[in-house]
Amino acid sequence: MPTTSSATSNATSNVPSTAGRSSLPSPGVEIRTGEQSGWTPARLPAEGRPHPAHRLLAQDRGEYLFVGLRGRATAPDPRPLTLHLAPGDICFYDVRHAPALDFAAGCRATVFLVPSELLGLTRHDTARIARTPVAGGSRMGALLSPLLSDLARTAAEAGPPVGEMLAWNAVNLLATLAAEQSGTDTHGAPGTPGGRPPALVRIMEYVELHLTDPDLSPEAIARAHHISVRYLHKLFKDEDTTVGRWILRRRLEECRRDLMRYGRGSRTIAAVAGRWGFLSATHFSRVFRSAYGMSPREWRDMTGGGGT
C-alpha cells in the first residue's frame, strides 16, 4: 500500500512489506498496520533496547492497537510488569523501551508512532499511561478503538492529501485519549489531578481561562495566586516543563484546532494567532513550525481550511 508522504522514520519493525504504512510531513509521525491474518506481531517498532521486564500478553486473537511515543524517553521501570490485553485494547508505550510481546498466531496490530510532545505528554505522563492500557470495552475504548483502526487502514490506502488528513485526525483522537489517560481534559485543561499539587491544578485552570490574554506571564500568574515566581517555576519543574512552555503549548494547540476548524475565509491565520495571545504573526509562524514541522498555512491548507 502506498505511503502518504516521503517522510522517513528511524523506527524498525518486522511488519511485513504488504502491511499498510502511512507517514506524515511532521517528523516522526507514522502509522503501521499489519493486515495479514496469519501475522504474529513478534515485536513492536522501537528505537532503542526493549524493556527488560515489561511484557504484553494477548488474551485472544484479534486486533490490538499500540501508540509508540517518541521523544522525552522515560527511564525504564525495573519493576516486572505483565499486562493482559484483549482485542481492541489500546496500549501506549515508549519506543526507546518497547515492551516484549507474547501474542498468539493470528493476532493483528495497528501501531501509531507519534512524538509525545505532539500529544501534549510530559515524561511523567508517558511513564504513567504506558502502564495503563485503554480497555476496548471501556467508554473511551469502545468509541475510539474501532475509529482509530478504520482511520489507520484508510489512511494507508488513500493517497495524499486525503491520507495525510485522515492520519492527522487519528493523531488528534490520540491526543484526546492521552489527555484523559494522563489526567487532563480534551482541551489540555486539568481534569483529574493525577497526583498534582492542588496549587498547580488551580494555576493550570487559571492559565486555561486567560490563554487569550497577551499579557499572561509568570509574573501575572504568580501575582494572581499570591505566590512567588520562584515557587511557580518549581511547581512546573515537577511537570518536566516551564510556565512559559506550558502556555505556549496550550496556545499552539488551540491555534491548530482553530485553523482546522474554521472554513474558507472565515478567519485569517493572523486573526487566529491574535485570538490566542500571539502579538506577532511572524513569531507565531516560527514557533508553530518548530512544534509541528510545518507552517500554519501548510497545516490549514492540508486540513482543508481557507483564508490567508
Side-chain angles (χ1 to χ4, degrees), residues 132-210:
T132 311
V134 180
S138 67
R139 178 178 61 87
M140 290 295 287
L143 174 65
L144 296 184
S145 182
L147 184 56
L148 287 167
S149 177
D150 289 343
L151 281 172
R153 283 194 293 268
T154 307
E157 296 169 356
V162 174
E164 292 168 358
M165 293 171 62
L166 290 172
W168 271 117
N169 286 331
V171 170
N172 285 329
L173 290 175
L174 290 173
T176 300
L177 184 60
E180 176 163 295
Q181 287 296 98
S182 62
T184 58
D185 67 18
T186 57
H187 298 290
T192 304
R196 288 175 173 142
L200 180 59
V201 173
R202 290 194 299 271
I203 288 168
M204 288 181 169
E205 291 173 346
Y206 180 88
V207 169
E208 290 301 311
L209 293 173
H210 295 82

Side-chain angles (χ1 to χ4, degrees), residues 97-149:
H97 307 292
L101 298 182
D102 188 357
F103 279 13
C107 291
R108 293 176 289 116
T110 294
V111 183
F112 300 85
L113 298 170
V114 186
S116 56
E117 293 88 347
L118 194 59
L119 301 185
L121 295 172
T122 66
R123 288 188 182 91
H124 179 69
D125 294 331
T126 299
R128 182 166 65 249
I129 69 174
R131 300 179 69 87
T132 311
V134 180
S138 67
R139 178 178 61 87
M140 290 295 287
L143 174 65
L144 296 184
S145 182
L147 184 56
L148 287 167
S149 177

Side-chain angles (χ1 to χ4, degrees), residues 273 278-285:
F278 289 98
L279 297 177
S280 166
T282 301
H283 170 68
F284 167 65
S285 295

